């Protein structure tokens, strides 16, 4: 008789238990979903238009409006993200078409991104399945085994200027224009990226003609860069914290990786609202079909989840230096800490 180890049975039992607990929260409210979409999209368009109007009339102070506009663009991405999980509305096709339209605003090809993000959810925390939809993270042993040029590349990649400066700009402006990572995965990733490119190019060309190319770029570039940086930062903190979870395929299980490999980024209320509650990321990974506006209900009703992986904003700043996975200590460490490991 093949008897599974008790820890595997326990993990599966816990997964089933959480699936049952979170089931009542998975049903979207179409009225609430429409409301959340409206109070995100309308302010974003209004702020963009007001900024453009100010700039074209020489009122340069209007560029200050790009800051809240970038915040609403981040929230718009969270709405698109929920469409990708099929959680905004019950009809899959409605989610998909709303997500595709929002992808024009967020510069993110919806179907391509949805596919890579699904891989992320299915493999997060699995050392043997890194590479798609996540931030490249090496173990201490892997880093030490690299030649000096490989170490230099990894150090540059993980440097804050690249990770939160050049990286976000490259990702949303350049990388998402082609289906990198899925180049040989069939027609859909190509259709998604190229169709999104065309859908972006048409309004961009029209707005440049109406406003002038310089004025358009003065409005669009700050909004895009600030929103991209904020989005990458949120994704980074959600998985790159000291007590996160990584394991090889033999030890990995979905529930454990979701609950302990994703943080509860406990932001101040205004930032929590603007980021669409995505900081409650451990619950999101436990059940990706819970709509973003219902995630706070889960914490309210199940307070035992509140302190699991909890990180405050100030605490999150220290996560920048954590760049390597120490398989012995089972935690993320800095380059300096890795050097001290025997």
């Amino acid at each position: 008789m093949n008897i599974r180890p008790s820890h595997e049975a326990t993990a599966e039992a816990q997964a089933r238990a959480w699936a049952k607990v979170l089931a009542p929260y998975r049903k979207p409210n179409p009225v609430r979903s429409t409301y959340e979409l409206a109070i995100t999209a309308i302010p974003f368009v209004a702020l963009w238009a007001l900024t453009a109007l100010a700039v074209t009339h020489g009122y340069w102070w209007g560029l200050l409006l790009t800051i809240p506009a970038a915040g609403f663009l981040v929230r718009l991405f969270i709405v698109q993200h929920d469409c990708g999980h099929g959680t905004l509305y019950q009809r899959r096709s409605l989610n998909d078409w709303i997500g595709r339209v929002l992808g024009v605003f967020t510069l993110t090809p919806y179907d391509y991104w949805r596919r890579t993000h699904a891989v992320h959810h299915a493999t997060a925390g699995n050392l043997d399945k890194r590479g798609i939809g996540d931030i490249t993270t090496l173990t201490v042993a892997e880093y030490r085994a690299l030649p000096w040029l490989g170490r230099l590349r990894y150090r540059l990649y993980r440097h804050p200027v690249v990770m939160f400066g050049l990286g976000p700009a490259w990702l949303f402006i350049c990388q998402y224009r082609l289906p990198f990572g899925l180049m040989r995965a069939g027609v859909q990733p190509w259709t998604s990226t190229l169709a999104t490119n065309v859908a972006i190019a048409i309004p961009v060309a029209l707005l440049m003609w109406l406003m002038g190319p310089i004025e358009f770029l003065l409005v669009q570039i700050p909004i895009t860069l600030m929103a991209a940086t904020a989005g990458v930062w949120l994704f980074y903190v959600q998985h790159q914290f000291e007590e996160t979870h990584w394991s090889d395929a033999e030890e990995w299980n979905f529930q454990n990786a979701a609950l302990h490999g994703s943080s509860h980024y406990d932001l101040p209320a205004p930032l929590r609202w603007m980021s669409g509650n995505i900081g409650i990321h451990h619950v999101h990974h436990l059940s990706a079909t819970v709509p973003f506006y219902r995630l706070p209900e889960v914490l309210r009703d199940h307070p035992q989840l509140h302190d699991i992986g909890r990180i405050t904003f100030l605490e999150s700043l220290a996560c920048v230096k954590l760049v390597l996975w120490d398989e012995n200590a089972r935690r993320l460490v800095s380059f300096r800490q890795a050097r001290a490991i025997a």
Side-chain angles (χ1 to χ4, degrees):
M1 179 181 294
N2 183 23
I3 301 176
R4 292 174 301 176
S6 60
H7 72 274
E8 291 185 16
T10 301
E12 289 190 14
Q14 289 176 340
R16 288 194 297 269
W18 278 118
K20 185 176 180 180
V21 166
L22 296 177
Y25 302 92
R26 291 175 183 157
K27 186 176 181 180
N29 181 328
V31 174
R32 176 71 184 273
S33 294
T34 303
Y35 170 76
E36 295 290 347
L37 176 60
I39 64 172
T40 306
I42 293 173
F44 170 73
V45 172
L47 285 165
W48 201 102
L50 287 172
T51 307
L53 190 63
V55 168
T56 52
H57 286 81
Y59 300 115
W60 301 109
W61 55 262
L63 288 173
L64 291 173
L65 295 175
T66 60
I67 299 173
F72 278 99
L73 185 56
V74 171
R75 199 171 198 271
L76 208 60
F77 183 88
I78 300 302
V79 176
Q80 180 187 0
H81 163 270
D82 262 37
C83 288
H85 287 294
T87 61
L88 205 62
Y89 297 97
Q90 289 185 308
R91 286 177 56 194
R92 176 85 250 185
S93 60
L94 184 56
N95 284 294
D96 288 343
W97 281 106
I98 291 174
R100 289 172 186 135
V101 172
L102 295 183
V104 177
F105 292 90
T106 64
L107 308 183
T108 305
Y110 171 78
D111 293 287
Y112 161 68
W113 178 87
R114 183 185 67 179
R115 193 161 168 179
T116 59
H117 192 63
V119 174
H120 163 69
H121 270 262
T123 61
N126 190 326
L127 288 170
D128 296 323
K129 295 185 178 180
R130 288 168 286 173
I132 295 181
D134 55 15
I135 291 170
T136 301
T137 305
L138 297 181
T139 67
V140 173
E142 289 170 340
Y143 175 74
R144 286 175 174 171
L146 290 174
W148 73 268
L149 187 58
R151 293 188 185 189
L152 177 60
R153 281 198 298 263
Y154 187 71
R155 279 181 171 270
L156 289 174
Y157 169 74
R158 296 298 298 238
H159 194 281
V161 172
V162 175
M163 183 64 65
F164 307 112
L166 301 176
W170 169 260
L171 178 66
F172 284 91
I173 296 175
C174 300
Q175 185 170 323
Y176 279 166
R177 308 287 63 85
L178 289 172
F180 289 102
L182 297 177
M183 302 283 274
R184 298 181 180 180
V187 174
Q188 188 190 52
W190 285 94
T191 302
S192 177
T193 51
L194 297 180
T196 302
N197 292 344
V198 172
I200 291 170
I202 293 172
V204 165
L206 179 61
L207 287 167
M208 281 188 171
W209 178 70
L210 290 172
M211 297 172 55
I214 301 300
E215 289 79 4
F216 171 81
L217 292 175
L218 283 172
V219 176
Q220 184 62 38
I221 287 179
I223 294 174
T224 297
L225 294 183
M226 284 188 287
T229 297
V232 169
W233 171 256
L234 287 169
F235 186 77
Y236 182 93
V237 174
Q238 288 159 6
H239 296 283
Q240 301 282 315
F241 58 103
E242 184 175 5
E243 296 180 356
T244 189
H245 172 85
W246 287 88
S247 59
D248 57 35
E250 291 184 359
E251 295 181 357
W252 185 90
N253 72 77
F254 176 84
Q255 187 270 344
N256 198 36
L259 192 58
H260 299 288
S262 307
S263 67
H264 171 203
Y265 194 20
D266 197 0
L267 291 167
L271 294 179
R272 188 164 60 246
W273 185 88
M274 194 63 80
S275 60
N277 302 312
I278 199 62
I280 310 174
H281 210 62
H282 57 328
V283 177
H284 171 63
H285 265 259
L286 276 173
S287 182
T289 52
V290 175
F292 73 92
Y293 51 79
R294 301 203 66 182
L295 290 172
E297 296 178 37
V298 177
L299 288 188
R300 181 198 64 198
D301 298 341
H302 305 282
Q304 67 269 34
L305 291 169
H306 185 271
D307 292 328
I308 297 177
R310 180 176 177 268
I311 302 174
T312 66
F313 177 75
L314 290 177
E315 290 171 340
S316 72
L317 301 179
C319 295
V320 174
K321 64 182 181 181
L322 303 176
V323 293
L324 294 167
W325 177 250
D326 182 349
E327 291 185 277
N328 294 321
R330 303 186 72 83
R331 63 189 179 97
L332 282 178
V333 298
S334 64
F335 287 121
R336 179 177 297 179
Q337 289 171 318
R339 285 196 300 269
I341 297 171

